[in-house]
Amino acid sequence: MGIITSISTWLIPCFILIVLSVATWKRVPTYEMFVEGGKDGVKMAFSLLPFLVGMIVSISILRSSGALEAFINLISPILVMVGIPPEIIPLALVRPISGTAALGMTTELIGTHGPDSFIGRLASTMQGSTDTTLYILTVYFGAVGIRKMGYALKVGLLADLVGIIASVIVVTLIFG
């Protein structure tokens, strides 16, 4: 365990040292390039801000309005028939929207049901098997100016659905 800790502690500083050494050897103006990159980073952060605020407000409205709970109550009988715990549905719905909100829900599920419970294992597996599709499309596509994202949205949400279904199947088969 000590070797892995040492490697992880020294990996990034050594990488930075190697990059700076090679850049200096090739006579690249490293400080000027660093400052230019910093300027670009600040511009990018400000251009992403409206998209991030929009996502955060949308998630808050969805959770605060009770619409999410009403939807879960509506589909709960069907979920119970196929063996999917209704408690996991908020995570499945929020995960494509926000990684932070999904991580909070996963933490809450694990805290409530325990890490070794079926729901805890399913939440953890689902967290790792899906992605924040809408966040990625909104932030990254918006930042570079891509407006037509229909196919990317369809494929991303389909991949999330497959990840959710695969999570349920795998956790059911392994941990039953």
Side-chain angles (χ1 to χ4, degrees), residues 46-84:
F46 280 117
S47 71
L48 293 177
L49 198 57
F51 299 104
L52 292 172
V53 169
M55 290 299 292
I56 290 168
V57 169
S58 299
I59 293 165
S60 297
I61 290 171
L62 180 66
R63 291 186 83 186
S64 300
S65 69
L68 186 61
E69 285 190 38
F71 177 71
I72 292 167
N73 290 336
L74 182 69
I75 63 171
S76 286
I78 299 167
L79 296 173
V80 171
M81 283 191 324
V82 293
I84 300 172

Side-chain angles (χ1 to χ4, degrees), residues 8-68:
S8 65
T9 301
W10 286 99
L11 187 65
I12 292 177
C14 288
F15 177 75
I16 292 171
L17 180 64
I18 290 168
V19 168
L20 290 174
S21 298
V22 170
T24 303
W25 180 62
K26 291 189 173 195
R27 302 194 192 284
V28 174
T30 53
Y31 182 74
E32 290 80 7
M33 297 296 287
F34 174 77
V35 170
E36 186 178 320
K39 287 180 185 177
D40 290 343
V42 170
K43 288 178 188 175
M44 179 65 74
F46 280 117
S47 71
L48 293 177
L49 198 57
F51 299 104
L52 292 172
V53 169
M55 290 299 292
I56 290 168
V57 169
S58 299
I59 293 165
S60 297
I61 290 171
L62 180 66
R63 291 186 83 186
S64 300
S65 69
L68 186 61

